[in-house]
Amino acid sequence: MSSVVVVGAQWGDEGKGKVVDLLTRDADIVVRFQGGNNAGHTVLTDGQKYSLHLIPSGILHPGKRCFIANGVVLDPAAFCKEIDELRARGVVITPDNLSVSLSTHLIMPYHSALDQARESDRGDSKIGTTGRGIGPCYEDKAARIGIRAADLADQPLLLKKIQHNLAEKNALLSLYKQPGFTVQQVMDEIRKSGTELLPFLADIPEQIAICRKQGGNILFEGAQGSLLDIDHGTYPFVTSSNTVSGGASAGSGVAPWSLSRIIGIVKAYTTRVGSGPFPTELTDALGLYLREQGVEFGVTTGRPRRCGWFDAVILRSSVRLSGITEIALTKLDVLSSLDELKICTAYKYKGQTIFYPPQEENGLDKVEPVYETLSGWKENLAGARREEDLPAAARGYVRRMEELLDVPVKIISVGPDREQTIFR
């Protein structure tokens, strides 16, 4: 296994939680390298459903170590709440199997307040943020005024940073006619969860290096999807971090050459949450059918996901950006019972046929998808465990994806449970 990176290849919600959970069997450590509690990874095992937001999916496997690396922005209160919820269900979580980087930036109460105030002020031009303070926290990181996990152990430094930051944040909140915060209020809010967080802090790059020296297997878990990348996604309708595979290196402190396999998680159709262009979106009864059959509602927010046909154009971009070496295909079972399926193979844009997304802002909103039609199938795929168990039309659908993307499909998910998986 060595060092494997798992990234979402569409707009997130591709099913990374299940795939990471499956791959954890062969891993020694699982590293979450970017994003925050705006992520939502669902794992279904032994009839139990787990929804994870900050803690890596590998936490459900006894004997594995999970790391939250420096590229993540962490809400201490949300972190402690997630731990409490998992412990209440019998999941063992201690500093022995879960560690947080000393360099991880913390989401403060004023970050969430500012995030929500800005989104509300946008009116009909909302970006679709979850309002959890992710963007404002990354802003402070880039502005070099952020509060890092290690600061929790230095109360004078923490107090000084909060005093400095509130002078600006309260002024911004007043512009949106929102109440500000007092220094004491923020200190009180951060004190309890901060105290609980302290025992989990560790030098994550050093721990990863030790694991590599000992010949251990490392699994890097990304959040969101490649088309939400701050640099390479459908800007401005993107997240605030690098979701492509390169983010694993910068976001966890490992050398790029150490990342040996890049697994792109691809849903058998396309979904998107919130605002932003979506060329293959189905706004008719078929789109609603995919939403209901695929249970397409956000793990974090509960928002209904927009659904559409498989888009090979955006996936070519993801393959190129992340150097995807293999694909894990999810939710193939959702397409059962459809007479025919469509795949977008190219776009018409400004009088030309293009095979990669246009780079102009909102250029994707001006393309016309070019489709090819494939036969559907009626068989229920839930019991398939080998490729041979799939109907011919389903196998043909998978092969056509491989041809269009020039990447092999190695894993096929035919249901939400761990066992409903085909390894090719």
Side-chain angles (χ1 to χ4, degrees):
M1 189 180 189
S2 191
S3 295
V4 178
V5 183
V6 173
V7 294
Q10 293 153 305
W11 277 292
D13 309 309
E14 302 93 349
K16 293 180 291 297
K18 174 181 175 175
V19 176
V20 169
D21 177 65
L22 286 168
L23 296 174
T24 297
R25 294 181 299 192
D26 299 318
D28 294 293
I29 60 175
V30 182
V31 185
R32 170 76 183 276
F33 62 83
Q34 49 77 220
N37 60 315
N38 55 341
H41 294 171
T42 301
V43 178
L44 183 65
T45 176
D46 298 327
Q48 296 293 311
K49 180 180 177 181
Y50 297 89
S51 297
L52 303 164
H53 302 278
L54 278 166
I55 298 173
S57 306
I59 200 68
L60 301 177
H61 289 255
K64 309 295 181 178
R65 298 180 66 197
C66 293
F67 294 159
I68 295 175
N70 59 281
V72 173
V73 289
L74 184 142
D75 183 326
F79 174 77
C80 294
K81 181 173 182 277
E82 192 167 333
I83 287 178
D84 289 342
E85 290 173 347
L86 289 169
R87 283 174 172 167
R89 299 182 64 183
V91 179
V92 176
I93 302 178
T94 72
D96 291 329
N97 68 345
L98 178 63
S99 299
V100 176
S101 172
L102 290 154
S103 301
T104 299
H105 280 250
L106 301 182
I107 297 173
M108 305 298 285
Y110 47 78
H111 288 138
S112 303
L114 186 57
D115 200 4
Q116 293 166 25
R118 284 174 174 168
E119 187 75 344
S120 177
D121 189 66
R122 290 187 179 103
D124 294 336
S125 301
K126 287 180 170 60
I127 290 175
T129 172
T130 60
R132 282 163 168 74
I134 312 298
C137 185
Y138 276 117
E139 287 176 32
D140 281 5
K141 179 178 181 177
R144 291 158 292 183
I145 59 172
I147 293 173
R148 305 198 298 176
D151 298 342
L152 294 170
D154 188 339
Q155 289 293 300
L157 175 62
L158 180 63
L159 178 62
K160 182 179 178 181
K161 284 189 171 185
I162 289 174
Q163 288 172 331
H164 177 270
N165 289 353
L166 280 182
E168 177 190 54
K169 298 302 185 287
N170 283 342
L172 287 172
L173 286 168
S174 70
L175 291 175
Y176 296 108
K177 299 179 174 57
Q178 296 297 317
F181 293 83
T182 66
V183 173
Q184 191 61 49
Q185 182 182 1
V186 175
M187 288 292 289
D188 288 344
E189 282 198 40
I190 204 70
R191 185 172 286 114
K192 181 179 184 298
S193 54
T195 301
E196 293 181 29
L197 175 59
L198 278 172
F200 292 94
L201 301 187
D203 185 338
I204 297 302
E206 180 184 30
Q207 294 299 313
I208 295 174
I210 290 172
C211 182
R212 284 186 55 80
K213 277 188 177 181
Q214 294 173 345
N217 294 324
I218 306 166
L219 182 60
F220 295 89
E221 176 184 7
Q224 289 89 41
S226 299
L227 274 296
L228 293 174
D229 186 277
I230 183 66
D231 288 308
H232 305 289
T234 48
Y235 191 89
F237 302 99
V238 294
T239 193
S240 304
S241 58
N242 287 117
T243 59
V244 295
S245 64
S249 177
S252 55
V254 300
W257 56 260
S258 68
L259 308 176
S260 52
R261 288 170 61 196
I262 314 295
I263 302 177
I265 314 301
V266 175
K267 195 178 288 185
Y269 47 100
T270 310
T271 63
R272 180 164 198 170
V273 173
S275 306
F278 186 173
T280 65
E281 182 175 11
L282 293 166
T283 57
D284 55 9
L286 185 53
L288 292 175
Y289 173 83
L290 290 176
R291 178 186 293 167
E292 294 300 323
Q293 290 296 112
V295 195
E296 296 295 352
F297 298 90
V299 178
T300 301
T301 63
R303 291 181 297 180
R305 296 172 187 146
R306 301 153 64 192
C307 299
W309 293 121
F310 185 86
D311 190 337
V313 182
I314 62 169
L315 282 162
R316 284 193 198 99
S317 176
S318 296
V319 168
R320 181 170 66 180
L321 289 168
S322 284
I324 292 172
T325 58
E326 58 198 86
I327 286 171
L329 182 65
T330 63
K331 295 201 172 184
L332 185 64
D333 54 299
V334 175
L335 298 179
S336 296
S337 301
L338 297 179
D339 293 325
E340 63 179 29
L341 304 170
K342 291 186 178 181
I343 292 180
C344 173
T345 60
Y347 296 149
K348 292 289 186 182
Y349 181 65
K350 295 183 177 180
Q352 295 183 316
T353 299
I354 61 174
F355 297 93
Y356 287 88
Q359 296 302 301
E360 296 88 352
E361 184 165 320
N362 287 327
L364 205 61
D365 211 22
K366 301 178 179 65
V367 303
E368 177 187 344
V370 177
Y371 290 112
E372 66 176 51
T373 303
L374 286 75
S375 298
W377 60 88
K378 299 295 184 181
E379 295 88 339
N380 187 316
L381 307 185
R385 296 295 179 269
R386 302 174 304 155
E387 186 175 3
E388 294 76 16
D389 297 335
L390 297 174
R395 296 198 301 271
Y397 189 72
V398 174
R399 284 196 298 271
R400 185 57 180 143
M401 287 183 189
E402 292 179 313
E403 292 168 357
L404 290 167
L405 303 178
D406 196 26
V407 178
V409 174
K410 294 289 190 179
I411 298 173
I412 302 174
S413 174
V414 292
D417 198 85
R418 271 181 188 164
E419 303 308 315
Q420 292 178 297
T421 309
I422 296 169
F423 292 91
R424 297 173 79 211

